[in-house]
Amino acid sequence: ARGDRVFLPDEGAWMTGARFFPDAEVNLAENLLRATGDGEAVVETDEAGNRAALTADELRAEVARVAAGLREAGVGPGDRVGTVLPNRIPALVSLLATAAVGGVWTSCSPDFGTEGILDRIGQVRPKVLIAEPRYRYGGKAHDISERITEVAARMPELHKVVVIGGGDVSARVAVESWRDFGAPSELSFTRVPFDAPVYILYTSGTTGAPKAIVHRTGGVLLQQLKEHMLHGDVRRGDRTMWYTNTAWMMYHWIVATLGREATLVLYDGAPILKGADGLDGTPLWRVAEGERLTHLGVSPKYMATLADAGFVPKAGRDLGALRWLMSAGSPVAPQQVDWIYANIGDHLGFASISGGTELLGCFLLGAPTRPVRRGTLTAKGLGMAVNVLDERGAPVIGRAGELVCTEPFPSMPLTFWGEDGDRRYRDTYFSTFTEIWAHGDHATLNVDGTAVIHGRSDTTLNPGGVRIGTADIYNVCDRFAEIEDCIVFGRPVPGDEEIVLCVKPNAGAAVDGDLAKRLRSEIRAECSPRHVPSAIYEVTDIPYTLNGKRVEKAAQALATGGEVKNKGAIANLESLEAFARLSEATPL
């Protein structure tokens, strides 16, 4: 050990053997709860327009109370606290309280089914489970009391269940209400080694069991504060919000803006509601205006839905406080950037960001000192040795290849939870190139420092042996008014692979020979002849994960006679039926 990093030359482990600040001790919550006083630290909003808030001192007091309850329940460094909670203040308090005692916080959102929760939180054997059985989404009330009861019964190492709000939950262990959990206490923090675990997150797991990724306390803290301070331009007193659930990494990411003494705004519910006159796109923009948000994060799918509905966020609203709009989850098409500046405001900075659950941060993201160029990600993350390697393992500029990171970074996962976790972690990210992180994205770096993500490498199309990103085809399809949504994947044919495009039409539109002809013509002109789909089908819906990402691998598996092993990761299971029957349909 020497300096700020340990290197294991006997193993040749330049990346996987790296350690940052091995002698340091730190506490995540201590750094995120920097603010004190009577200024608002967190605001809770929902789809019905309700609002609640805690000052910095009130938030610290709530964290102290719940931390005392966790300590009384036997939670200490390394112990896991599992939560099934909507995006409200108690979820935030549970995260900070768990971190305060040195524990490990892990979460599912309430829309996960029983098996989905057990496949995730059940893996890591929590001591305490915190759940809110009753919640509202899309104007409908939901009660998952039975689900939480079953989950608790199948977690053998559980010591206590804490229930927020109503519901009828029973368990073989003590069940306690949130309001009675803990007691007023002095706020204290248990400092842990820099590499001690603090979060466990899960991959989507659509083609197998979700991988449980264990994240390091100090690495997450450094990475996220760097990104908010230097890339995101988050300042003291700013007001930040990301539309997310508590299971997606963007929740953990936006929570870290508390460390910049910004006010964190939470939103619970659907971002778009169904009204008598069609879709109501106002909920998030009502919050943006009312809370004077400076930073708002959404997804490309959300923006596409608003654009298709003709919704104009700035119409009749004062969005002048909004300095930054951010997007994650999938590539942002060039025309979506045009839509943002025409319909939200031309005073904004825009940042498309790309990283993942695996690093709880970004490889590519925004930069306040750089111009926004439509269809690209603005800059590499500071301190991140991001590159693109071709099939030879050589770095390339202006040509597509594998997105990699060639030097260690602090927020690399500690391990994967469970048996052979270290081996599975190395096999996932370091098997393509020795001791080089291969992220699984097909990307191009440009000479001006910007980048384009073409899609996931494991869903990259390969007709005629030429690798093609799915995002290129999506960008073309997004311009067609007849298309509400679509999905692209490869299907094996003798000696090659053909491109399959499945289209969900907008109401009143037809997927016919004329549309297919125009699609192929536009794709050929905008992309290349190799991008042109061999088969085009109409489907009733497109499969998405619970975090709002297209599930190309699931569609491909079903369309080629395979199966989806973990259906609990799919938000709209009924959408899969059409792909299982695709071989019976006649393509256009």
Side-chain angles (χ1 to χ4, degrees):
R2 186 178 180 184
D4 63 354
R5 171 165 74 190
V6 174
F7 178 51
L8 306 177
D10 55 319
E11 297 181 11
W14 171 247
M15 288 280 283
T16 56
R19 295 292 181 268
F20 289 82
F21 306 107
D23 299 324
E25 290 190 337
V26 67
N27 185 279
L28 181 80
E30 184 177 10
N31 283 273
L32 298 190
L33 289 170
R34 294 167 52 115
T36 58
D38 58 4
E40 286 183 339
V42 58
V43 175
E44 173 190 286
T45 64
D46 64 24
E47 63 183 32
N50 298 308
R51 184 185 192 274
L54 293 180
T55 67
D57 285 347
E58 288 170 340
L59 177 60
R60 290 170 62 89
E62 268 291 272
V63 170
R65 174 182 71 84
V66 175
L70 291 175
R71 288 189 174 103
E72 185 181 353
V75 177
D79 292 326
R80 280 76 60 203
V81 174
T83 66
V84 184
L85 297 173
N87 188 10
R88 292 182 176 272
I89 287 174
L92 175 67
V93 171
S94 73
L95 181 157
L96 294 168
T98 301
V101 303
V104 183
W105 192 80
T106 189
S107 61
C108 283
S109 60
D111 52 351
F112 279 80
T114 301
E115 297 303 323
I117 296 171
L118 289 168
D119 284 346
R120 291 164 176 80
I121 296 177
Q123 286 189 59
V124 304
R125 304 192 297 275
K127 273 192 175 179
V128 173
L129 178 67
I130 304 174
E132 186 166 344
R134 292 178 179 170
Y135 67 97
R136 294 186 65 83
Y137 186 89
K140 296 180 180 179
H142 301 268
D143 190 332
I144 59 170
S145 297
E146 290 186 12
R147 188 181 309 164
I148 299 303
T149 296
E150 182 177 356
V151 163
R154 294 168 63 182
M155 290 182 173
E157 297 187 20
L158 207 58
H159 289 197
K160 181 169 287 190
V161 177
V162 181
V163 176
I164 298 170
D168 185 14
V169 174
S170 60
R172 57 175 177 74
V173 297
V175 178
E176 191 168 349
S177 73
W178 175 256
R179 65 176 178 272
D180 296 329
F181 187 60
S185 306
E186 288 293 318
L187 181 59
S188 62
F189 303 100
T190 302
R191 292 182 178 175
V192 295
F194 191 87
D195 275 355
V198 68
Y199 292 136
I200 299 176
L201 287 89
Y202 308 91
T203 59
S204 58
T206 54
T207 57
K211 299 180 182 71
I213 302 175
V214 184
H215 281 286
R216 316 165 193 245
T217 300
V220 167
L221 180 65
L222 267 185
Q223 182 84 332
Q224 294 181 345
L225 290 185
K226 173 203 75 175
E227 290 173 355
H228 292 314
M229 182 186 301
L230 302 177
H231 286 275
D233 187 32
V234 179
R235 311 167 191 170
R236 179 183 297 174
D238 279 350
R239 301 174 74 83
T240 64
M241 185 176 94
W242 197 292
Y243 178 72
T244 178
N245 62 39
T246 55
W248 191 21
M249 66 145 290
M250 298 315 304
Y251 177 79
H252 307 69
W253 190 80
I254 200 68
V255 160
T257 59
L258 288 172
R260 295 291 296 138
E261 298 186 50
T263 298
L264 177 64
V265 180
L266 309 173
Y267 178 86
D268 178 42
I272 299 174
L273 299 173
K274 293 181 180 179
D277 299 326
L279 296 180
D280 175 10
T282 60
L284 298 190
W285 304 104
R286 181 186 67 234
V287 176
E289 179 181 35
E291 298 297 334
R292 305 296 292 166
L293 293 183
T294 59
H295 294 69
L296 172 63
V298 293
S299 70
K301 172 63 175 172
Y302 169 74
M303 291 189 288
T305 303
L306 293 184
D308 288 345
F311 183 79
V312 180
K314 70 179 183 181
R317 295 178 186 84
D318 177 7
L319 301 178
L322 194 62
R323 295 202 319 272
W324 285 94
L325 184 75
M326 302 167 287
S327 179
S330 61
V332 176
Q335 61 268 26
Q336 282 193 305
V337 179
D338 298 338
W339 181 86
I340 289 166
Y341 283 104
N343 294 277
I344 298 176
D346 57 8
H347 63 288
L348 298 167
F350 173 67
S352 176
I353 70 177
S354 179
T357 302
E358 305 92 328
L359 61 148
L360 268 186
C362 306
F363 283 129
L364 299 156
L365 66 168
T369 59
R370 301 285 300 279
V372 176
R373 300 192 186 281
R374 61 196 298 273
T376 69
L377 294 99
T378 302
K380 300 177 184 180
L382 291 168
M384 306 291 278
V386 175
N387 219 318
V388 167
L389 303 185
D390 66 9
E391 64 279 0
R392 304 164 299 166
V396 291
I397 298 291
R399 289 201 289 121
E402 290 288 337
L403 182 70
V404 302
C405 192
T406 59
E407 299 281 347
F409 53 94
S411 67
M412 293 188 300
L414 182 63
T415 188
F416 286 176
W417 183 273
E419 187 177 354
D420 290 332
D422 289 349
R423 178 190 57 78
R424 290 185 287 116
Y425 164 50
R426 288 178 171 87
D427 286 350
T428 301
Y429 303 111
F430 299 98
S431 59
T432 304
F433 305 105
T434 302
E435 287 300 305
I436 290 176
W437 178 292
H439 193 53
D441 277 343
H442 196 51
T444 298
L445 289 181
N446 299 319
V447 293
D448 62 357
T450 63
V452 176
I453 303 292
H454 303 290
R456 293 294 294 169
S457 296
D458 55 7
T459 57
T460 296
L461 308 170
N462 198 32
V466 178
R467 302 183 75 201
I468 292 171
T470 54
D472 303 327
I473 298 175
Y474 292 139
N475 288 347
V476 174
C477 292
D478 285 346
R479 302 175 195 169
F480 282 73
E482 298 95 329
I483 298 176
E484 178 179 330
D485 206 351
C486 62
I487 196 164
V488 179
F489 53 86
R491 181 167 61 186
V493 294
D496 202 354
E497 177 182 271
E498 67 176 1
I499 296 176
V500 176
L501 170 62
C502 296
V503 174
K504 177 185 178 182
N506 273 310
V511 180
D512 54 18
D514 176 66
L515 177 61
K517 181 179 179 180
R518 289 187 289 119
L519 273 169
R520 288 189 171 103
S521 176
E522 194 75 9
I523 291 169
R524 180 184 298 272
E526 292 292 324
C527 301
S528 80
R530 293 191 182 278
H531 286 75
V532 176
S534 298
I536 298 176
Y537 298 93
E538 178 178 347
V539 294
T540 55
D541 204 2
I542 303 299
Y544 278 84
T545 66
L546 293 167
N547 290 338
K549 297 181 181 181
R550 285 187 183 96
V551 195
E552 292 149 333
K553 290 181 71 176
Q556 180 187 47
L558 290 172
T560 55
E563 61 177 346
V564 178
K565 296 180 181 179
N566 187 4
K567 294 182 179 179
I570 307 295
N572 51 340
L573 271 177
E574 67 284 352
S575 67
L576 298 179
E577 296 176 9
F579 297 92
R581 300 195 307 269
L582 211 63
S583 60
E584 304 168 9
T586 302
L588 295 170

